[in-house]
Amino acid sequence: MIERVFIKENVKKVLIDEFFKKELFKAGYSHCEIKKTPIGTKVTIYAERPGFVIGRRGSRIKELTEILAKEFKLDRPQIDVKPVENPDLDAQVVAEKIARALERGMHFRRVGHTAVRRVMNAGAKGVVVIISGKLTGERARTEKFMAGYMKHCGEPAEDLVDKGRAIALTKPGVIGVTVKIMRPDVLLPDEIVIKEKDMEVKEESIEEGEE
């Protein structure tokens, strides 16, 4: 029974996230956090442009709150909106931007290289952009754009890599976009950081020993 409750809650969270992706793509939607509180359910939405989520005089917030309560059966939902600190380091925001650029008819290579350059200029340790679909002809193909360092497997790839996915609806067909980013604050298990103060202490102890 407990397992079923957890599965049900996780499925509901995925459905809510997909709903926000469709409804709030113009706001630069990144992700959401859902937490149960004594007074209801707190839903925190992270977006590049919070004003689009809030709407004029909070009209959009009220509409989203009603949908969460009626369609997703959330208990007294309360929506809080927070801005994305650096959109160029948020994989979902970057993926949505790429998808919208492809829908406007921009060439996939130009879009891919531009996105990689902006992410790396923002300070990322590494980035991978994958664009799949009918890019130039009738046959579907996959193109990758990469820079920096990236973990592709194991626990670090699951826990330390930020992932985002989006879909572009173009005339030739549907194009899928996947973005993976290793942010600058990520500390890898095999990464060693030597502190300057520790080095100074060691040097002093060596000098005292020589005396």
Side-chain angles (χ1 to χ4, degrees):
M1 290 295 293
I2 297 177
E3 289 82 359
R4 289 183 181 179
V5 172
F6 278 112
I7 292 172
K8 185 178 180 180
E9 290 299 319
N10 285 331
V11 169
K12 183 184 292 187
K13 184 177 180 180
V14 171
L15 292 175
I16 292 173
D17 186 59
E18 291 296 324
F19 167 72
F20 284 149
K21 284 180 181 179
K22 293 179 182 178
E23 294 294 322
L24 304 176
F25 70 91
K26 289 184 179 180
Y29 171 77
S30 170
H31 65 283
C32 68
E33 295 177 354
I34 302 174
K35 295 182 180 179
K36 289 187 176 181
T37 66
I39 58 174
T41 306
K42 183 179 180 181
V43 180
T44 305
I45 298 175
Y46 292 85
E48 182 182 4
R49 295 178 291 276
F52 281 85
V53 182
I54 297 171
R56 185 173 293 180
R57 297 180 181 178
S59 59
R60 188 62 170 149
I61 284 283
K62 293 179 182 177
E63 181 183 346
L64 293 173
T65 303
E66 292 177 358
I67 293 174
L68 291 177
K70 293 180 180 179
E71 296 187 13
F72 294 99
K73 309 299 181 182
L74 290 188
D75 180 31
R76 290 171 292 176
Q78 298 175 341
I79 297 178
D80 184 24
V81 185
K82 292 185 178 181
V84 176
E85 293 182 4
N86 193 333
D88 290 328
L89 291 176
D90 190 293
Q92 185 59 41
V93 174
V94 174
E96 290 290 348
K97 286 183 177 180
I98 293 173
R100 301 293 82 80
L102 293 173
E103 288 179 344
R104 291 195 299 270
M106 294 183 65
H107 195 273
F108 71 93
R109 283 200 182 92
R110 181 182 176 185
V111 174
H113 287 302
T114 300
V116 168
R117 185 169 59 252
R118 292 188 61 169
V119 172
M120 294 304 294
N121 288 341
K125 289 187 176 181
V127 58
V128 176
V129 174
I130 304 172
I131 303 177
S132 304
K134 294 182 179 179
L135 304 179
T136 55
E138 289 298 321
R139 294 186 62 182
R141 52 191 283 204
T142 299
E143 292 286 339
K144 289 185 180 181
F145 306 87
M146 300 176 287
Y149 181 74
M150 178 63 61
K151 281 285 187 181
H152 296 283
C153 61
E155 188 175 347
E158 292 295 326
D159 299 337
L160 304 180
V161 178
D162 184 31
K163 303 178 184 68
R165 295 176 177 84
I167 293 175
L169 302 177
T170 64
K171 290 182 179 179
V174 177
I175 297 177
V177 179
T178 300
V179 176
K180 299 179 181 179
I181 298 175
M182 287 195 69
R183 296 177 179 174
D185 56 346
V186 169
L187 184 61
L188 298 170
D190 56 351
E191 191 172 354
I192 300 174
V193 178
I194 300 176
K195 297 181 179 179
E196 294 182 1
K197 290 184 179 180
D198 292 345
M199 291 295 292
E200 291 175 1
V201 172
K202 289 180 181 179
E203 290 175 0
E204 290 177 2
S205 61
I206 291 172
E207 291 176 358
E208 290 175 359
E210 291 177 352
E211 293 177 359

